[in-house]
């Protein structure tokens, strides 16, 4: 009898061990390329591979759908995306998906909040810079820091000034009842590159959360979204690397800092991402509406905020604005920020410092 009880106890202990072993979440990873012109990596903890893959698929599918709606370069079958809106500037209102209406309303709001620094109606100016940058990097050789673009030129100011007559955001007419968008100026166009990736990442990650996802760090080409914490039983927060804007001579990317977050997005903007060189000087892809020239106050900036779309918009704004204006903007939204100045020195808000390894916050105390 006693032996039976012992055997039963051993069996029970084994079952308990097996259950415990089975419920310990595993660490998984998914990658996909091409969406929003970037490379995406999702890592996180899940019950099993199948469940993790389900979450990754939800994120990927939503990002693909939104990329199709927000792109200005490709047509979609339904004909209801931003390219169709741009193609019909000055011609006719275009019926668009609800997500397009919501994004444009959000962008209009942020234009006002950033004192016009982030202006999605600036397509006419941005496309000129885009064309000159593309031409100027066409013959690129060598690592990113030593790009040799012999024929690179700056667009003449007359052309930029002429284009700047067609960047009024009030010429974007949104009809919420009919779900249409009309650009009243035939020479204007929309470019949501400053906001759409982070905005879409926020929506896609939220969908996966609704499906049960609790522990993920998703990186969409530098726009990072953290959900929950790593479920490895030791770490309380995700560590997110901030890229050093200057690459090594051989093109190696280094980490400038690590910030420790839970349910937040970490988004960086800088001229190191997309740029070209004219007469030895670097010209980036973020254009200051006040000068019509690439912003160059800083090498890079980073913003941390719970909302991914807002973090994306604020990081573009921060890159353009003087530090004091940027600080006011961040404070208004309770967002945190880092500026990497042209001389390489760092400035950051207290909220950033509190979660930064390098600046003596969370990482140092840990
Ligand atoms: P980000 O990398 O999020 O800072 O966004 C940069 C992208 O936003 C550029 O590639 C352009 O497509 C677009 N962009 C550049 N300057 C501006 C601006 N001042 N306002 C709105 N969009 C901009
Ligand atoms: Mg941005």
């Amino acid at each position: 009898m006693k032996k039976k009880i012992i055997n039963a106890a051993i069996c029970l202990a084994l079952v308990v061990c097996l259950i415990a072993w089975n419920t310990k979440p595993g660490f998984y990873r998914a990658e996909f390329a091409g969406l929003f012109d970037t490379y995406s990596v999702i890592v996180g903890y899940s019950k099993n591979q199948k469940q993790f893959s389900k979450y990754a698929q939800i994120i990927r599918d939503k990002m693909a759908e939104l990329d199709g709606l927000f792109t200005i370069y490709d047509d979609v079958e339904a004909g209801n995306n931003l390219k169709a809106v741009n193609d019909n500037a000055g011609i006719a209102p275009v019926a668009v998906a609800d997500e397009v209406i919501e994004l444009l309303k959000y962008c209009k709001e942020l234009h006002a909040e950033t004192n016009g620094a982030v202006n999605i109606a600036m397509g006419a100016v941005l496309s000129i810079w885009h064309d000159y940058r593309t031409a100027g990097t066409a013959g690129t050789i060598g690592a990113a820091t030593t790009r040799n673009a012999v024929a690179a030129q700056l667009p003449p100011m007359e052309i930029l000034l002429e284009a700047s007559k067609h960047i009024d955001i009030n010429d974007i007419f949104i009809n919420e009842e009919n779900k249409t968008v009309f650009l009243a100026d035939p020479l204007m166009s929309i470019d949501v590159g400053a906001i759409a990736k982070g905005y879409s990442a926020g929506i896609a990650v939220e969908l996966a959360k609704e499906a049960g996802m609790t522990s993920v760090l998703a990186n969409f080409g530098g726009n990072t979204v953290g959900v929950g914490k790593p479920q490895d039983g030791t770490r309380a927060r995700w560590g997110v690397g901030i890229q050093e804007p200057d690459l090594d001579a051989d093109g190696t990317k280094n980490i400038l800092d690590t910030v420790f977050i839970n349910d937040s997005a970490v988004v960086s903007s800088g001229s190191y991402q997309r740029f070209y060189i004219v007469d030895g000087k670097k010209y980036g892809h973020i254009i200051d509406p006040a000068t019509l020239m690439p912003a160059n106050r800083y090498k890079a900036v980073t913003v941390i905020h719970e909302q991914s779309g807002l973090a994306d918009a604020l990081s573009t704004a921060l890159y353009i604005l003087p530090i004091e204006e940027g600080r006011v903007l961040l404070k208004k939204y309770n967002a945190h920020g880092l500026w990497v100045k042209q001389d390489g020195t760092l400035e950051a808000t207290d909220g950033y410092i509190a979660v930064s390894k390098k600046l003596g916050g969370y990482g140092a105390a840990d």
Side-chain angles (χ1 to χ4, degrees), residues 194 269 312-313 315-316:
S269 287
D312 194 357
S315 88
T316 307

Side-chain angles (χ1 to χ4, degrees), residues 117-119 122 126 191 193-194 269 274 285-287 312 316 320:
V118 178
N119 179 8
M122 218 166 61
L126 295 175
D191 177 334
S269 287
R274 255 175 287 154
H285 65 132
I286 298 169
I287 308 301
D312 194 357
T316 307
I320 294 169

